[in-house]
């Protein structure tokens, strides 16, 4: 038995590339956090701009706390071990009747890590179901990287608009349906995507990307990461907690972190 996950859940992750649902917060606890998010969005024309959404935990203290919360991290430790870094965070939202979607892809394609070993904790702030565009995976596709191409699709929510071109069976897709406060944990190589939101209600999740501390960056400027638990191995510049909500000092640090992160993710594409 691990700190959070059962042996059966760990084995399911190893076999399928994902495990769900895992309860992280009560419905009341996640509803409070959703209210905090809505308050932030209301002050910014109804949305969190993309530049502030990338590694938002470096700007928003309660997200910094979520990234470190044992309710999430204990489960991640069961899969990755005790020395953990947070490599990235972002909200992924679709409004009602939103035609945008996420093409089938593998997360690690543009991460440029020394090993494709990571866990994404996808925490449901609202119900995430098939009709509102929940995450879907192809179990067992996490065993090797597959080729990708630019889909050319402007409704593709991925930053590089990538889609996988390797061989996999869509008929085997599994819907990672979650209730508010539950989370899914998935491998960076499992093929996954999501369909448009066909419902009238918003679907929002918070994605936290964790890596073991012995993983490093393979190219670009030295990227940064947040030490979450255990011992740092010195591969990343360590990030610091925000002094307050969108505090000026945190905003300055975040801008530099974002610049370095874009160099890592988009640098190869520009040079190709």
């Amino acid at each position: 038995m691990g700190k959070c996950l059962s042996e059966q859940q760990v084995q399911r992750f190893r076999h399928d590339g994902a495990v769900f649902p895992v309860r992280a917060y009560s419905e009341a606890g996640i509803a409070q956090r959703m209210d905090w998010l809505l308050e932030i969005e209301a002050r910014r024309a109804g949305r969190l701009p993309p530049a502030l959404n990338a590694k938002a935990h470096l700007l928003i203290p309660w997200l910094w706390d979520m990234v470190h919360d044992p309710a999430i991290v204990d489960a991640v430790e069961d899969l990755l071990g005790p020395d953990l870094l947070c490599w990235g965070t972002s909200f992924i939202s679709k409004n009602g009747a939103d035609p945008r979607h996420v093409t089938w892809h593998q997360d690690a394609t543009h991460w440029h890590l020394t090993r494709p070993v990571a866990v994404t904790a996808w925490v449901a702030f609202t119900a995430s179901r098939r009709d509102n565009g929940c995450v879907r995976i192809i179990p067992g596709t996490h065993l090797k990287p597959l080729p990708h191409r630019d889909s050319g699709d402007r409704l593709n929510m991925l930053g590089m608009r990538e889609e996988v071109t390797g061989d996999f069976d869509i008929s085997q897709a599994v819907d990672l349906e979650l209730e508010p406060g539950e989370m899914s944990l998935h491998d960076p190589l499992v093929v996954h995507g999501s369909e448009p939101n066909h419902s009238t209600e918003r679907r929002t999740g918070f994605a936290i990307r964790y890596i073991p501390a012995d993983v490093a960056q393979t190219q670009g400027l030295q990227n940064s990461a947040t030490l979450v638990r255990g011992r740092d191995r010195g591969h990343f510049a360590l990030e610091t907690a925000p002094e307050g909500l969108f505090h000026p000092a945190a905003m300055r640090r975040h801008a530099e972190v974002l610049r370095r992160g874009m160099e890592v993710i988009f640098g190869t594409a520009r040079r190709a």
Side-chain angles (χ1 to χ4, degrees), residues 17-262:
V19 62
F20 79 104
V22 178
R23 173 61 65 179
Y25 296 101
S26 67
E27 291 204 15
I30 205 67
Q32 176 66 78
R33 289 166 174 82
M34 186 66 191
D35 286 344
W36 292 339
L37 174 61
L38 292 173
E39 289 175 7
I40 289 171
E41 292 178 337
R43 297 173 189 156
R44 285 172 166 75
R47 65 193 287 262
L48 191 61
L52 300 183
N53 188 32
K55 294 204 176 193
H57 69 288
L58 301 182
L59 300 171
I60 301 172
W62 57 268
L63 290 180
W64 177 272
D65 293 341
M66 277 189 70
V67 163
H68 292 79
D69 196 328
I72 298 171
V73 180
D74 282 353
V76 176
E77 180 176 336
D78 289 341
L79 300 174
L80 295 182
D83 301 326
L84 297 171
L85 300 171
C86 172
W87 192 77
T89 60
S90 63
F91 283 101
I92 306 173
S93 292
K94 298 175 187 173
N95 293 324
D98 191 338
R100 296 177 304 157
H101 60 276
V102 177
T103 48
W104 295 111
H105 70 287
Q106 295 172 312
D107 282 338
T109 303
H110 300 296
W111 287 7
H112 306 298
L113 299 175
T114 51
R115 294 188 294 134
V117 178
V119 167
T120 293
W122 202 99
V123 184
F125 272 50
T126 66
S128 184
R129 303 191 178 100
R130 179 69 181 274
D131 69 334
N132 67 10
C134 69
V135 176
R136 312 182 75 209
I137 68 161
I138 310 294
T141 52
H142 61 299
L143 301 179
K144 64 179 181 179
L146 298 172
H148 288 65
R149 67 184 177 193
D150 184 343
S151 68
D153 184 353
R154 289 181 294 177
L155 294 177
N156 185 354
M157 296 176 70
L158 296 173
M160 299 284 286
R161 300 187 307 185
E162 68 267 26
E163 64 179 359
V164 70
T165 60
D167 187 25
F168 60 95
D169 186 356
I170 296 177
S171 70
Q172 300 300 307
V174 172
D175 300 321
L176 304 190
E177 294 193 313
L178 302 170
E179 294 302 315
E182 293 180 338
M183 65 179 175
S184 60
L185 303 169
H186 71 257
D187 186 280
L189 286 180
V190 73
V191 173
H192 65 291
S194 65
E195 297 180 350
N197 185 349
H198 298 293
S199 76
T200 59
E201 299 180 352
R202 174 174 172 172
R203 188 224 68 171
T204 295
F206 184 56
I208 311 173
R209 323 287 189 179
Y210 293 98
I211 58 175
D214 63 345
V215 168
Q217 205 81 57
T218 62
Q219 67 177 47
L221 299 171
Q222 184 189 34
N223 206 352
S224 63
T226 299
L227 180 63
V228 172
R229 177 174 290 181
R231 183 167 63 94
D232 176 43
R233 306 297 178 85
H235 298 305
F236 293 86
L238 295 184
E239 298 159 343
T240 56
E243 293 84 348
L245 185 64
F246 300 111
H247 189 279
M251 291 285 283
R252 288 192 294 272
R253 293 194 302 269
H254 179 263
E256 177 60 18
V257 165
L258 193 63
R259 183 182 71 82
R260 289 173 177 265
M262 291 301 98

